[in-house]
Amino acid sequence: MQLHRTAGKPDWEAIDVAERNGWQHWAMRSHGILTPGNVITVTGFIGVVYGLVLLADKSYGAGLLVLAAGRACDLLDGLAADYTGTKSPLGEKMDATFDKLSTGLSLIVLVVIGIVPLWIALLLAVQQAAAIVFALVALKRGTALHPSRTGKLGMAGIWLGLLLIVSLQALHIRHLHVVVWAVYAFFLASLLLSTAAVISYRDQLAPQRRTR
C-alpha cells in the first residue's frame, strides 16, 4: 500500500529537469495539480457521488459497484503517484480532503435512505471529527500530519464494512442476524484500528518532553 506521503517537497523537485518523466513535467507545469494521483482521487470522489445517487434511487446493485469502484481509487491514487514519481504535499492534502468528503457525504446519504444505522454513522462521525480537529491543530502549528499505514488500513476496513452493509440491503438479507452482526463486528474492529491512527496524530501533536 503506497501512501500520499511526502517529505515536504514534490518528488520531481529532487530530479534534474532533463531527467524528469512526462508525468513529472506535467506536474511541474501545473504546480502539482495535474498528476495521475490527483486525477484518480477526483475520479474516485465522482464515483462515490454517483454511487450514492444510484443507491438513493434504489438501484442497489449498480450503486454498490460504482461506490466500491469510487472508494478503490483511494488505494490506487497513492500507487499511481508513487509509480510516476509525482507525489507532492498538494496530492497528499487532496487525498485526505476527498477521503473525508467521501466518508462524510456517504454517511449522511446512507443514513437518510435507511441503509446504515444511525449509531454506526455517529461512531464514525465522532472518529472523523477528531481526525479533522487534529489536522486543524497541526495546520495552525505548522506541523505536518502524514497518513499512516494503520489509518489507511483502518479506513479501508471501515469502507469495506459500509459496503458489506449496503450488500445486505442489495441482497435482501438484513434479517439474518448472525450475518448482520458479523458485518457490524467487522466494521467496529476496523473503526478501532482507524481510531488508533487518530490517537497517533494526537501523540504527534503533544509537546515533546525535554530530556535532561
Side-chain angles (χ1 to χ4, degrees):
M1 181 185 294
Q2 297 296 332
L3 304 176
H4 255 145
R5 179 185 294 174
T6 66
K9 293 183 178 181
D11 285 352
W12 55 88
E13 288 192 1
I15 301 175
D16 187 82
V17 175
E19 297 179 357
R20 292 173 184 170
N21 61 42
W23 298 113
Q24 291 171 329
H25 281 296
W26 273 105
M28 177 188 65
R29 292 167 184 168
S30 63
H31 303 286
I33 297 174
L34 295 179
T35 68
N38 291 347
V39 170
I40 293 174
T41 295
V42 175
T43 301
F45 178 71
I46 294 172
V48 167
V49 172
Y50 183 51
L52 293 172
V53 170
L54 290 172
L55 290 174
D57 196 39
K58 298 185 178 180
S59 300
Y60 298 121
L64 176 62
L65 290 176
V66 174
L67 188 61
R71 287 309 301 165
C73 289
D74 188 50
L75 301 177
L76 297 176
D77 56 5
L79 287 170
D82 185 70
Y83 182 76
T84 57
T86 54
K87 289 187 293 186
S88 71
L90 175 61
E92 184 177 350
K93 289 182 175 65
M94 285 185 63
D95 185 18
T97 299
F98 278 97
D99 182 56
K100 295 289 187 298
L101 288 174
S102 295
T103 302
L105 180 62
S106 297
L107 284 178
I108 293 172
V109 173
L110 293 176
V111 169
V112 169
I113 64 179
I115 293 180
V116 170
L118 180 60
W119 65 270
I120 281 184
L122 290 176
L123 286 176
L124 185 51
V126 169
Q127 187 258 355
Q128 288 290 291
I132 292 172
V133 168
F134 290 139
L136 291 175
V137 172
L139 181 64
K140 183 177 180 180
R141 295 183 181 180
T143 302
L145 284 182
H146 300 294
S148 66
R149 197 170 303 275
T150 300
K152 278 285 188 180
L153 288 173
M155 185 53 66
I158 285 172
W159 264 100
L160 180 56
L162 290 175
L163 292 172
L164 287 173
I165 293 173
V166 176
S167 299
L168 297 177
Q169 176 73 36
L171 297 173
H172 305 289
I173 56 175
R174 298 188 70 181
H175 299 295
L176 293 178
H177 298 296
V178 174
V179 176
V180 172
W181 284 108
V183 170
Y184 288 169
F186 176 82
F187 173 86
L188 291 174
S190 299
L191 182 61
L192 288 174
L193 185 63
S194 186
T195 301
V198 173
I199 292 174
S200 73
Y201 294 158
R202 182 202 62 184
D203 294 339
Q204 291 179 49
L205 293 172
Q208 298 294 323
R209 294 181 180 179
R210 295 180 180 178
T211 57
R212 295 180 181 179

